[in-house]
Amino acid sequence: MQWMKGLLGAAVAAMIALPAHAADYKDEYKVSTVLGTPFPWGIAAEEWVKLVDERTNGRIKMKVYPGTQLVQGDQTKEFTAMRQGIIDMAVGSTINWSPQVKELNLFSLPFLATDFAATDAITGGPAGEAVFAAIEKQGVVPLGWAENGFREVTNSKHPIRTPDDMKGLKMRVVGSPLFNDTFTALGANPTQMSWADAKPALTTGAVDGQENPLSVYSVAKMDTVGQKHITLWHYMNDPLIFAVGKRVWEGFTPEDQEILRQAAVDAGKVGIAAARKGITAEDPSLIEEIKATGAEIVELTPEQQKAFVDATRGVYDQWAEKIGPDLVKQAEESVAQSRK
């Protein structure tokens, strides 16, 4: 009998030592995104899926569901759905998650970060760490950064060079009160709608213009819906965040958590490179490609950009108080350091 007890004890010990993934992992983890490939957003998400698959030898299966189809196309509900466990994971926009995490409005402050160095300084500095901590308090675990890009303004009516040129334009904006306030301050008539509804509205003329990165403009062929006037004003960048719902995250072993996190960091670098491709002084190929469609691209001078900064300063100050003055100050200090 004693030898049987010994065997039983050994068997129990072996079962306890088995890694959690042997029995507890899902057959598939759903990853929500607004945009799929070939947009940089989708490229980042697909790279994450690929790297995790490779680094776990297929033990962790993830699948990207673009178009926010997991939340019936309402991108502002994505964060809540992940927190509630309806969505396992997401590569999401700081804009779309800002209604639930007020600190994420930091990135939408008009003209806070107007170049890539400033963006990187914020995400890679104390403000970025504070934003991740705020997200985790809401029941979602952030893992890494990607990028949608600088949101440039386009319209079907005329070139935009001064705030006066915005007056009266019907502009599609995302579902964020800060965007409403910014475009109202510039004299435009903002209309909130999802990306799924935006292109049809531009096609019919229900709205005159919109704001999005040039990569989105190009892939979505927005020149075909009358968006022939583009102004590069760099008024805000839209970082993306790789994240996992907390309950899902806690189901992974520490080793697999580290694989997921590092894969997100590495995929983020791929996504950021894709978002910045063709729009720099060193590589203006995407800008040239868009010009070839017949679109007119206005690049603001520093003096012209300052007029927009001045026109939206009241919105900036008002929202800095809502977001948190200390967090905004941290971001501003990082931006200042990036320019030295």
Side-chain angles (χ1 to χ4, degrees), residues 227-300:
Q227 297 300 290
K228 293 290 189 178
H229 302 288
I230 304 168
T231 295
L232 305 184
W233 62 346
H234 284 25
Y235 86 116
M236 63 87 56
N237 202 333
D238 180 20
L240 305 176
I241 298 172
F242 296 83
V244 181
K246 188 173 183 181
R247 280 176 285 182
V248 173
W249 180 252
E250 291 173 345
F252 292 115
T253 64
E255 294 78 11
D256 284 337
Q257 288 177 348
E258 182 54 33
I259 289 173
L260 282 160
R261 189 185 302 277
Q262 189 57 51
V265 171
D266 294 341
K269 294 175 183 175
V270 173
I272 289 170
R276 299 179 182 183
K277 184 179 180 182
I279 58 173
T280 64
E282 298 75 23
D283 173 22
S285 55
L286 180 57
I287 293 173
E288 295 303 321
E289 179 185 312
I290 292 172
K291 285 180 179 177
T293 68
E296 177 184 5
I297 296 183
V298 172
E299 298 191 51
L300 297 181

Side-chain angles (χ1 to χ4, degrees), residues 326-337:
D326 290 343
L327 177 61
V328 174
K329 184 179 179 182
Q330 283 181 322
E332 290 172 342
E333 289 173 349
S334 292
V335 170
Q337 282 293 118

Side-chain angles (χ1 to χ4, degrees), residues 52 64 90 311:
V52 170
V64 176

Side-chain angles (χ1 to χ4, degrees), residues 202-226:
L202 292 165
T203 301
T204 62
V207 292
D208 302 316
Q210 58 88 54
E211 43 79 57
N212 253 310
L214 291 185
S215 60
V216 174
Y217 179 98
S218 176
V219 175
K221 300 186 184 304
M222 299 189 74
D223 59 294
T224 64
V225 292

Side-chain angles (χ1 to χ4, degrees), residues 140-179:
V140 170
V141 181
L143 305 181
W145 298 95
E147 188 167 290
N148 192 26
F150 281 107
R151 300 179 74 92
E152 315 293 12
V153 65
T154 77
N155 79 99
S156 60
K157 298 297 185 182
H158 52 248
I160 295 173
R161 294 186 175 88
T162 71
D164 282 345
D165 295 327
M166 299 282 289
K167 293 192 184 320
L169 287 178
K170 294 175 290 184
M171 301 295 297
R172 176 265 174 178
V173 297
V174 294
S176 162
L178 175 46
F179 281 70

